[in-house]
Amino acid sequence: MAQSGIPIIDINSADEATTGKQLVDAAEEHGFIYIRNLGQDISAEQIDEAFALSKKLFGAPVEEKVACAIQTNNRGWGGLHSETLDPRTQKVGDFKEVFNIGLFKDGEPQQPLPPTIVADQARLEAFRDACTAMCTKLLLLIGNGLGVGDFFARAHEVKPGDECDTILRLLRYPPPTSTVHSASDMRAGAHSDYGSLTLLFRLRGQAGLEVQSRDGLTWAPVPVHPPGTEHDPSPPILVNIGDLLSYWTNGLLRSTVHRVVFGGEVVQGESAAEPRYSMAFFSSPSPSTQLGVVPSERVRSFVPRGQSTNPYAERKVMRADEHLRMRLAETYGDLYKEGDKA
């Protein structure tokens, strides 16, 4: 167990039935899971290269990035304060810069990219493909753990005309000394993720991520290298359950609230003083997928403890794209209001 209580699972060390149960148990109890990354699925070299490309992209001239401003398709660049992940409590938007990269077709991105990074787009696509393969593997394992086989993996397959809203998100948090902020401001406000699964990649020594306790009263830091992984080729991949998968499983799989802070409780060996880079891959099913309750006996027999683990789990069938738009509208309210008028 790590300091935050998040389990560490090597998804290549046991049979699929055992690993699937481990993943479902961890997702039910914590919503976050460390996937020990020993290079079998995504190599340390691939991750290092992707971080280098992220730094190159964020270093592009601002006019290049502005020309790729984020749209209602959830792709493109967003500057400082362009997002407010916790609009109920935040007075100032998030202190971060983001770039969302969607699907590629025939080797070409389906969105503008800054000219600075265009020559590297094949490498971005390759990293996206590796993340997609990892999510497919995890969805198969979770499906096995719930007794529904490839139910989730099939729903996430790319179908012409009904393509999944998977997003590779690159993030840069400027150093605290470069911004004027108060003690209550957040690098990324408290939120739960919107889709099915999130893969989060972090750099050694960079603090800031915290998860909320089940009772909502306390926060715990999430070490980049939990005990026992310090000598692995790269930090574990942090996997978390999103609201959609929680909704789909009637709250059994927990979508946990998390945030990125300026300081807080810092784990030994980590620092929040420098620029912080991370990469998140958000997996979602095909937009037309109907989110009825998953046909799993474990899901059917699940009884939530106290308040629902998913605040968006009012039980009705909705499409995956309706669920996503509901969440994005909260984060980019003005953008989506303008889009509705168009």
Side-chain angles (χ1 to χ4, degrees), residues 5-55:
I6 298 171
I8 306 167
I9 298 176
D10 181 348
I11 59 174
N12 297 300
S13 65
D15 61 89
E16 291 187 357
T18 299
T19 305
K21 184 179 184 305
Q22 289 175 340
L23 288 170
V24 171
D25 289 347
E28 178 179 355
E29 181 63 27
H30 300 278
F32 273 77
I33 309 157
Y34 283 111
I35 300 300
R36 195 166 189 186
N37 190 32
L38 301 177
Q40 296 100 316
D41 298 287
I42 303 177
S43 71
E45 291 75 20
Q46 284 176 293
I47 296 170
D48 290 344
E49 179 181 67
F51 270 116
L53 293 175
S54 174
K55 292 178 180 180

Side-chain angles (χ1 to χ4, degrees), residues 1 4 19 33 61 88 95 97 127 169 174 176 182 184 208 237 286:
M1 292 291 183
S4 54
T19 305
I33 309 157
R88 297 171 183 82
F95 285 76
E97 185 180 354
F127 185 68
R169 161 166 279 205
S182 69
S184 62
I237 300 169
S286 296

Side-chain angles (χ1 to χ4, degrees), residues 120-324:
D120 302 297
Q121 64 188 34
R123 293 191 289 167
L124 287 171
E125 181 184 19
F127 185 68
R128 264 192 57 102
D129 289 346
C131 291
T132 299
M134 169 66 95
C135 285
T136 298
K137 182 173 183 173
L138 291 170
L139 289 165
L140 282 168
L141 289 168
I142 290 170
N144 286 333
L146 288 175
V148 296
D150 64 353
F151 178 92
F152 295 118
R154 282 187 289 106
H156 288 71
E157 291 174 353
V158 175
K159 303 175 182 69
D162 189 27
E163 293 159 341
C164 308
D165 289 313
T166 58
I167 291 291
L168 171 62
R169 161 166 279 205
L170 311 178
L171 299 106
R172 180 186 186 274
Y173 300 82
T177 53
S178 72
T179 61
V180 177
H181 57 273
S182 69
S184 62
D185 288 334
M186 292 285 148
R187 283 176 137 178
H191 67 287
S192 51
D193 287 352
Y194 308 159
S196 300
L197 294 177
T198 300
L199 307 180
L200 182 64
F201 303 86
R202 296 182 292 164
L203 289 173
R204 299 176 190 269
Q206 296 195 347
L209 179 64
E210 295 183 337
V211 294
Q212 190 177 54
S213 61
R214 185 179 285 275
D215 60 15
L217 299 178
T218 59
W219 294 89
V222 182
V224 176
H225 267 295
T229 69
E230 298 90 343
H231 302 296
D232 289 358
S234 65
I237 300 169
L238 195 57
V239 177
N240 67 283
I241 302 299
D243 289 337
L244 186 146
L245 195 56
S246 183
Y247 184 97
W248 212 351
T249 56
N250 214 21
L252 169 69
L253 302 184
R254 183 181 171 202
S255 183
T256 300
V257 175
H258 50 286
R259 67 186 185 183
V260 179
V261 297
F262 279 100
E265 182 184 346
V266 177
V267 175
Q268 184 176 3
E270 296 183 2
S271 170
E274 302 299 323
R276 181 179 185 272
Y277 289 87
S278 64
M279 300 183 295
F281 185 78
F282 300 114
S283 178
S284 294
S286 296
S288 64
T289 301
Q290 296 290 323
L291 303 178
V293 178
V294 172
S296 160
E297 182 57 37
R298 183 163 175 176
V299 171
R300 281 193 291 268
S301 60
F302 172 66
V303 178
R305 285 186 276 170
Q307 186 179 2
S308 170
T309 55
N310 179 7
Y312 301 91
E314 179 185 350
R315 194 63 261 160
K316 65 177 182 178
V317 176
M318 68 167 70
R319 286 167 42 122
D321 56 351
E322 294 172 334
H323 190 279
L324 177 63

